[in-house]
């Protein structure tokens, strides 16, 4: 009976101390994380002291004494664990948005001056404002809801895309203009990977099943392979990261090798067995042909090569880019910049986008929260894949398909994808010291003093 009373008293002492400590933390979301971590520290100290001969009650009192004053420790924890705004990313995103609007204004002005139907700059300005409002909303929503409700979000997104594809008109036999919406699966897939972690081979099998099912639905809805292919690359990078992090308790190198080998060899197998139609084979032949060979029968590739070859280090090329390139404001922004302002301006555009991508990947690499790491990795991969594809297409190395340049491309869908992902990245940074798995606190040094 006496032993039970001592244990109850010890628990009361610890509860009173932790209550006083966590009440100093203003962010309620951080309190359970801090309480669990500090409880672990107190228990470890108490066990060490009991191993040296102390009774349980005295060991608990001593371990709490060594932790320090609850108010002082709580204030320190409040300083460490509070929501933070990534001002550098926000300012950088603002500058890219302004640069994107400037280029859209210039393209609209030049096209109108040449007598062409110019895209509405006012519409793009409205799309950018809507995107920024969405970014702010996502930022304040807290990204962890993706991990909690990933299956429901996947279902709702699938219903939305299926309904949109059924109700919207087809253009040239497909819904290619809707493809960018497919990238919304990326953060949802990050949540699914997070939900199935620590479930071994079974968890990995479920992730692969949803991976294949999502891509199959994308091809069915959009009637095109472009975004589904790039999305499969992003998904595979995310799965690889999860495996290397030990999420699924499988042989890492062997599993990763088999996944990538399967992803690479499957298209080869499909071609070899004759599963493609003649026009699809012709598209593949065109895809792998050189830009100069393709320019002989492809007007767009020929125009791109002419504009780039006539461009100078600075200044305009002297050729009317607005007359030579259709959909300039969506698909050929880089070519327009080089043609009108020179290669240095084009290099500045590339460096700005590269800095954005590096910033996102650095955030992902430094996060201790596994869900935040996976979401930021997925967003960074989308920005990187689409930027590389866009630049290759603008240099004539890849036939133009539905793609976009983050912060620069025209249209509401492009703006929404860019700013939804930016809002998620800001939210991940905001809660990086608040939400997630238990982590160590390097700023709080706790030592165990043994009585002599």
């Amino acid at each position: 009976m006496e032993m039970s009373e001592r244990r109850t008293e010890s628990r009361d002492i610890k509860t009173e101390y932790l209550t006083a400590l966590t009440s100093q933390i203003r962010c309620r979301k951080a309190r359970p994380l801090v309480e669990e971590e500090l409880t672990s520290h107190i228990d470890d100290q108490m066990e060490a002291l009991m191993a040296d001969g102390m009774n349980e009650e005295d060991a608990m009192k001593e371990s709490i004494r060594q932790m320090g004053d609850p108010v002082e420790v709580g204030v320190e924890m409040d300083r460490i664990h509070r929501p933070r705004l990534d001002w550098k990313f926000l300012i950088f995103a603002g500058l890219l948005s302004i640069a994107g609007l400037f280029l859209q204004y210039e393209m609209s002005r030049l096209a109108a001056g040449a007598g062409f139907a110019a895209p509405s700059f006012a519409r793009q300005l409205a799309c950018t404002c809507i995107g920024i409002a969405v970014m702010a909303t996502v930022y304040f929503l807290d990204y962890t809801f993706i991990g909690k409700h990933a299956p429901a979000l996947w279902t709702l997104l699938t219903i939305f895309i299926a309904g949109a594809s059924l109700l919207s008109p087809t253009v040239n036999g497909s819904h290619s203009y809707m493809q960018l919406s497919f990238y919304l699966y990326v953060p949802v897939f990050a949540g699914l990977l997070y939900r199935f972690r620590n479930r071994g081979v079974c968890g990995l099998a479920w992730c692969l099943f949803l991976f294949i099912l999502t891509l199959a639905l994308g091809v069915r809805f959009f009637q095109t392979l472009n975004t589904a292919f790039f999305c499969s690359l992003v998904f595979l990078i995310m799965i690889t990261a999860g495996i290397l992090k030990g999420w699924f308790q499988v042989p890492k190198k062997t599993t990763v090798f088999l996944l990538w080998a399967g992803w690479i060899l499957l298209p080869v197998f499909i071609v070899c067995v004759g599963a493609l139609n003649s026009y699809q084979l012709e598209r593949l032949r065109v895809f792998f042909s050189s830009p100069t060979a393709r320019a002989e029968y492809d007007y767009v590739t020929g125009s791109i090569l002419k504009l780039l070859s006539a461009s100078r280090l600075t200044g305009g090329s002297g050729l009317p880019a607005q007359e030579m390139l259709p959909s300039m404001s969506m698909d050929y922004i880089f070519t327009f910049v080089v043609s009108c302002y020179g290669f240095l301006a084009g290099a500045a555009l590339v460096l700005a986008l590269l800095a954005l991508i590096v910033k996102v990947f650095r955030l992902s690499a430094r996060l201790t929260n596994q869900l935040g790491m996976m979401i930021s990795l997925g967003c960074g991969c989308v920005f990187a894949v689409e930027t590389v594809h866009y630049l290759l297409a603008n240099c004539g190395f890849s036939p133009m398909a539905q793609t976009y340049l983050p912060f620069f491309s025209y249209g509401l869908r492009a703006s929404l994808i860019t700013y939804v992902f930016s809002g998620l990245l800001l939210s991940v940074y905001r809660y990086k010291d608040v939400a997630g798995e238990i982590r160590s606190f390097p700023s709080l040094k706790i030592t165990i003093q043994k009585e002599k």
Side-chain angles (χ1 to χ4, degrees):
M1 189 69 175
E2 184 177 351
M3 181 68 70
S4 177
E5 290 177 356
R6 287 184 177 181
R7 289 179 178 175
T8 302
E9 185 176 352
S10 297
R11 286 196 297 269
D12 291 341
I13 293 173
K14 181 169 66 175
T15 300
E16 182 180 349
Y17 177 85
L18 292 174
T19 300
L21 190 153
T22 55
S23 64
Q24 310 305 313
I25 302 174
R26 288 167 289 180
C27 180
R28 294 183 180 181
K29 189 178 182 65
R31 292 175 184 174
L33 180 70
V34 173
E35 183 174 348
E36 188 171 353
E37 176 68 15
L38 295 184
T39 297
S40 177
H41 280 303
I42 292 172
D43 291 343
D44 288 344
Q45 286 177 288
M46 185 182 71
E47 290 177 4
L49 293 171
M50 290 177 65
D52 287 344
M54 272 192 186
N55 60 53
E56 183 175 348
E57 182 180 356
D58 292 339
M60 174 61 71
K61 291 179 179 179
E62 178 62 17
S63 64
I64 289 177
R65 185 192 68 79
Q66 292 179 14
M67 287 288 294
D69 181 76
V71 175
E72 293 181 0
V73 176
V75 170
E76 177 67 9
M77 291 295 97
D78 177 65
R79 184 187 66 81
I80 297 173
H81 297 279
R82 68 176 189 270
R84 304 171 188 271
L85 177 60
D86 189 350
W87 285 104
K88 292 181 179 179
F89 181 87
L90 185 62
I91 293 172
F92 195 35
L95 292 175
L96 289 177
S97 299
I98 293 172
L101 287 173
F102 168 76
L103 290 178
Q104 290 293 337
Y105 173 78
E106 284 295 295
M107 287 184 285
S108 176
R109 181 180 63 83
L110 289 175
F116 292 92
S120 171
F121 173 74
R123 182 177 183 273
Q124 180 61 18
L125 180 60
C127 290
T128 301
C129 292
I130 292 171
I132 292 174
V134 170
M135 178 180 71
T137 302
V138 174
Y139 167 68
F140 286 110
L141 277 179
D142 179 6
Y143 74 96
T144 57
F145 80 96
I146 295 177
K148 297 175 183 177
H149 307 291
L153 290 173
W154 186 90
T155 303
L156 291 174
L157 182 58
T158 302
I159 293 172
F160 166 75
I161 291 180
S165 66
L166 291 174
L167 297 176
S168 59
T170 58
V171 177
N172 296 325
S174 70
H175 297 90
S176 59
Y177 59 91
M178 293 178 52
Q179 282 188 97
L180 290 180
S181 305
F182 196 65
Y183 280 125
L184 293 174
Y185 276 109
V186 169
V188 175
F189 190 70
L192 291 171
L193 287 172
Y194 182 79
R195 288 289 295 268
F196 285 109
R197 79 195 194 286
N198 299 327
R199 298 189 187 183
V201 177
C202 182
L204 179 58
W206 269 108
C207 292
L208 293 175
F209 169 75
L210 291 170
F211 169 29
I212 296 171
L213 178 60
T214 302
L215 296 178
L217 291 173
V219 174
R220 173 66 181 85
F221 294 150
F222 303 123
Q223 297 296 314
T224 182
L225 296 173
N226 178 56
T227 303
F229 169 78
F230 290 116
C231 218
S232 72
L233 177 60
V234 174
F235 285 174
L236 197 58
I237 293 173
M238 294 166 68
I239 293 174
T240 300
I243 293 172
L244 295 179
K245 289 285 185 179
W247 283 18
F248 302 105
Q249 302 84 47
V250 295
K252 296 180 181 179
K253 293 182 179 179
T254 302
T255 306
V256 169
F257 172 79
L258 291 175
L259 287 175
W260 281 94
W263 184 79
I264 294 170
L265 294 177
L266 181 59
V268 177
F269 173 77
I270 292 174
V271 173
C272 291
V273 298
L276 297 181
N277 296 321
S278 58
Y279 74 91
Q280 292 173 321
L281 291 172
E282 179 63 19
R283 286 181 179 177
L284 285 176
R285 188 189 68 79
V286 170
F287 181 82
F288 288 108
S289 61
S290 66
T292 52
R294 195 184 313 122
E296 296 180 2
Y297 51 85
D298 181 30
Y299 168 78
V300 172
T301 303
S303 298
I304 288 173
L305 295 182
K306 288 179 182 178
L307 288 168
L308 293 179
S309 61
S311 297
R312 299 179 294 177
L313 193 62
T314 58
S317 64
L319 296 178
Q322 65 276 8
E323 297 180 17
M324 299 173 67
L325 291 178
S327 304
M328 184 172 59
S329 61
M330 290 185 287
D331 301 330
Y332 306 103
I333 296 172
F334 175 76
T335 305
F336 168 80
V337 170
V338 173
S339 176
C340 293
Y341 304 107
F343 284 107
L344 286 181
L349 175 62
V350 173
L351 289 176
L353 290 169
L354 180 61
L356 170 71
I357 295 167
V358 170
K359 168 71 174 175
V360 176
F361 283 146
R362 288 184 65 186
L363 170 64
S364 176
R366 294 177 177 181
L367 287 171
T368 57
N369 175 272
Q370 297 182 19
L371 176 61
M373 178 274 296
M374 191 60 72
I375 290 177
S376 56
L377 174 64
C379 294
C381 285
V382 171
F383 285 163
V385 166
E386 282 294 334
T387 297
V388 170
H389 178 215
Y390 195 97
L391 294 176
L392 288 175
N394 272 243
C395 293
F397 290 103
S398 171
M400 177 52 67
Q402 180 66 39
T403 185
Y404 92 112
L405 197 63
F407 292 100
F408 290 93
S409 286
Y410 185 86
L412 182 59
R413 290 183 181 84
S415 294
L416 287 178
I417 292 297
T418 296
Y419 290 107
V420 165
F421 283 8
S422 297
L424 284 172
L425 292 168
L426 287 170
S427 180
V428 167
Y429 187 91
R430 173 181 171 84
Y431 294 108
K432 69 185 182 72
D433 294 321
V434 174
E437 296 76 29
I438 300 304
R439 58 186 292 276
S440 60
F441 305 110
S443 299
L444 182 63
K445 297 181 179 179
I446 302 174
T447 57
I448 299 177
Q449 302 173 356
K450 296 183 178 180
E451 291 186 354
K452 298 181 179 179

